[in-house]
Amino acid sequence: MRTAKITRKTAETDISVEIGLDGTGRYDIATGVGFFDHMLDQLARHSLIDMTVRCQGDTHIDDHHSVEDVGIALGQALAKALGDKRGIRRYGSCLLPMDDALVRAALDLSGRPYLVWSVDFPTQKIGGFDTELVREFFQALSTHGGITLHVDALHGINSHHIAEAAFKAVARALRDAVETDPRKADAIPSTKGAL
Ligand SMILES: [Mn+2]
């Protein structure tokens, strides 16, 4: 089974993350940030990656450290669970509508972190959540997961919908990319022989 557990403790956050790539999208998420929990629920549910996430962070300052550091830990967990990436499809993409919002995600589990982020939010906040933290999360996930990740919002007028569509689009793309390809089950999907 392709699973990983990461614990990460700093002066700002205390995090544990457990994932199973070959899961059914079961989730148990408690980060101390309500809207972020809602987004991670979507990420697990739509990637079919089982996820348990716990974060105790300095949310008395703001949500920034908690969101960024969970992104770091989840990225590290993904990289660890993927191992040498033998047999994976490697690429994934998704064009995901949610009411007014339409978000495109394309990713490559290349080992080369690169984020292209073209998502504008019409409001600075979703409830008490800073919309700029959505990018911070995906930047951390990309950097620490070794993921080339492109996310473009093609349309959207509601910030909650845009954020949720982004998480769901990345989730669906991840689902495809981490899946093993039965035609190439023993091969590392690169002409270089390593990812
Ligand atoms: Mn929602």
Side-chain angles (χ1 to χ4, degrees):
M1 285 292 281
R2 298 180 299 165
T3 61
K5 180 170 185 177
I6 296 287
T7 55
R8 187 179 188 279
K9 189 173 164 64
T10 70
E12 296 168 345
T13 59
D14 186 354
I15 292 170
S16 74
V17 166
E18 255 186 286
I19 65 168
L21 299 184
D22 304 296
T24 54
R26 280 185 298 110
Y27 54 84
D28 179 6
I29 313 279
T31 66
V33 181
F35 181 75
F36 187 42
D37 287 353
H38 179 43
M39 293 300 101
L40 294 181
D41 292 349
Q42 308 303 327
L43 188 65
R45 178 71 188 82
H46 292 280
S47 66
L48 302 183
I49 297 172
D50 292 342
M51 285 183 199
T52 302
V53 178
R54 291 287 179 275
C55 174
Q56 287 191 302
D58 54 1
T59 50
H60 60 283
I61 297 173
D62 70 358
D63 299 337
H64 194 116
H65 300 140
S66 292
V67 171
E68 182 178 19
D69 292 359
V70 167
I72 291 170
L74 263 177
Q76 290 173 336
L78 271 175
K80 190 175 173 188
L82 282 165
D84 70 0
K85 302 179 183 167
R86 194 170 298 275
I88 65 167
R89 293 192 186 275
R90 179 179 167 181
Y91 298 99
S93 62
C94 178
L95 185 60
L96 194 132
M98 181 174 177
D99 299 349
D100 52 284
L102 181 64
V103 175
R104 180 178 61 208
L107 61 85
D108 176 11
L109 300 174
S110 57
R112 297 191 304 277
Y114 201 105
L115 177 69
V116 177
W117 182 258
S118 178
V119 179
D120 292 321
F121 291 100
T123 60
Q124 286 188 344
K125 294 269 191 184
I126 301 168
F129 185 83
D130 293 315
T131 50
E132 66 181 9
L133 296 183
V134 179
R135 185 188 193 283
E136 293 303 304
F137 171 78
F138 285 112
Q139 178 70 72
L141 188 79
S142 162
T143 298
H144 294 270
I147 304 168
T148 298
L149 175 63
H150 290 245
V151 185
D152 299 87
L154 306 181
H155 193 74
I157 55 175
N158 178 281
S159 293
H160 186 126
H161 290 160
I162 294 166
E164 190 161 342
F167 274 86
K168 287 176 169 174
V170 172
R172 290 298 288 223
L174 259 182
R175 175 186 168 173
D176 289 345
V178 304
E179 222 158 55
T180 47
D181 182 346
R183 293 176 64 193
K184 280 285 189 186
D186 290 323
I188 290 165
S190 167
T191 52
K192 287 184 289 205
L195 277 173

